[in-house]
Amino acid sequence: MNETADIKNTGLRGITVASSRICDVNGNLGKLIYRGFLVTDLATTASFEEVVYLLLFERLPSAKELSSFRNQLADHRNLPSDIIKALETMPKDALPMDVLQASIPMLASHDPDIKNASQDASIRMAVNLVAKIASIVAAWDRIRNGKEPVMPKSDLNHAANFLYMLSGDVPDDELTGFFDTCLVLHAEHSFNASTFSARQIASTRAHIYAAITGAVGSLSGELHGGANTRVMEMLKKINSVDAVEDFISEELNAGRKIMGLGHAVYKVDDPRALILMPMSKKMGER
């Protein structure tokens, strides 16, 4: 009975399921490493496109390769019209992660390489997903707020284009830079729950869209990416700086979790949080 309870509370935490050369998390030292690069260095020196290239191809791109890769992402941004129509049929209060999870299999139906298991086809599908997931999220936010989706601009980088598709206005350099850094910091985190889900599905030789669909479902849980939603709900409930201490004490005394950014694997500060905190302060002041 106790063993079952422990499994229920911890899941696969601490269990080695595979090895990876893509990412390393050192929780004791508070280090997050992509392909041998500290994420704290990448966040200040590399763009999101460069980091995606690094994760896919195991090295940072040359200037020519980066330009070509940015063009590839831009070429994949447009959504098929029937996916837009499907989004328009969704209840406006549908959860964004559920909408995203439902949309990704539709991308598979429009991919001519869906039965091609080659590495080149897999890379192209990965690029397609990086580009189109941003378009799906932006389109859904506008549709659920009664607005028409904004078509992507090919001359903007990934971060700026996403913000443009959300608001309809081209963002300034500071805002674009903040969001680009956020994307870099969230690009990879080794064997978290969603990565495990994707790897397990892919091991059956299911296509990449099926694997990412399962990963999004895992990510939506409140003990994973869904914690972000819980944070927003918590902030709205607290409502005032003066109410923070009483709220935290009440939650902890009741044995409830305090949601926030900071993975449980870190025994010291989450290195991403140290970068995001001053950025969020600046955004709040703006």
Side-chain angles (χ1 to χ4, degrees), residues 61-136:
S62 66
K64 184 178 179 180
E65 289 168 334
L66 178 59
S67 177
S68 175
F69 189 64
R70 282 176 169 156
N71 289 335
Q72 289 178 51
L73 281 169
D75 289 343
H76 283 286
R77 286 173 181 162
N78 284 301
L79 295 175
S81 58
D82 61 342
I83 292 183
I84 296 292
K85 291 176 182 176
L87 291 174
E88 291 172 343
T89 67
M90 297 278 191
K92 298 300 184 286
D93 60 350
L95 297 176
M97 294 294 279
D98 290 344
V99 173
L100 178 60
Q101 189 179 15
S103 300
I104 291 173
M106 290 190 282
L107 296 179
S109 302
H110 287 273
D111 198 315
D113 290 335
I114 197 65
K115 294 183 179 180
N116 186 342
S118 70
Q119 184 176 10
D120 287 345
S122 296
I123 291 291
R124 191 201 59 75
M125 292 180 201
V127 172
N128 188 46
L129 277 162
V130 171
K132 283 190 170 64
I133 282 177
S135 298
I136 290 170

Side-chain angles (χ1 to χ4, degrees), residues 10-159:
T10 63
L12 293 173
R13 182 173 296 170
I15 298 175
T16 301
V17 294
S19 60
S20 173
R21 292 186 302 165
I22 299 172
C23 180
D24 182 49
V25 180
N26 189 319
N28 292 322
L29 297 179
K31 292 184 177 181
L32 173 60
I33 301 169
Y34 300 171
R35 300 281 194 194
F37 293 88
L38 286 170
V39 73
T40 47
D41 292 336
L42 292 172
T44 56
T45 61
S47 66
F48 176 65
E49 287 90 340
E50 288 176 288
V51 169
V52 174
Y53 192 99
L54 170 68
L55 294 174
L56 289 175
F57 299 105
E58 304 187 36
R59 61 179 178 82
L60 288 167
S62 66
K64 184 178 179 180
E65 289 168 334
L66 178 59
S67 177
S68 175
F69 189 64
R70 282 176 169 156
N71 289 335
Q72 289 178 51
L73 281 169
D75 289 343
H76 283 286
R77 286 173 181 162
N78 284 301
L79 295 175
S81 58
D82 61 342
I83 292 183
I84 296 292
K85 291 176 182 176
L87 291 174
E88 291 172 343
T89 67
M90 297 278 191
K92 298 300 184 286
D93 60 350
L95 297 176
M97 294 294 279
D98 290 344
V99 173
L100 178 60
Q101 189 179 15
S103 300
I104 291 173
M106 290 190 282
L107 296 179
S109 302
H110 287 273
D111 198 315
D113 290 335
I114 197 65
K115 294 183 179 180
N116 186 342
S118 70
Q119 184 176 10
D120 287 345
S122 296
I123 291 291
R124 191 201 59 75
M125 292 180 201
V127 172
N128 188 46
L129 277 162
V130 171
K132 283 190 170 64
I133 282 177
S135 298
I136 290 170
V137 173
W140 170 242
D141 185 66
R142 291 188 65 85
I143 288 169
R144 68 175 178 169
N145 286 296
K147 301 176 183 178
E148 289 291 321
V150 173
M151 295 299 101
K153 286 176 70 72
S154 60
D155 60 333
L156 297 177
N157 69 16
H158 189 79

Side-chain angles (χ1 to χ4, degrees), residues 252-266:
L252 293 178
N253 290 336
R256 292 188 284 267
K257 292 181 181 292
I258 304 298
M259 297 295 178
L261 180 80
H263 201 287
V265 71
Y266 293 107

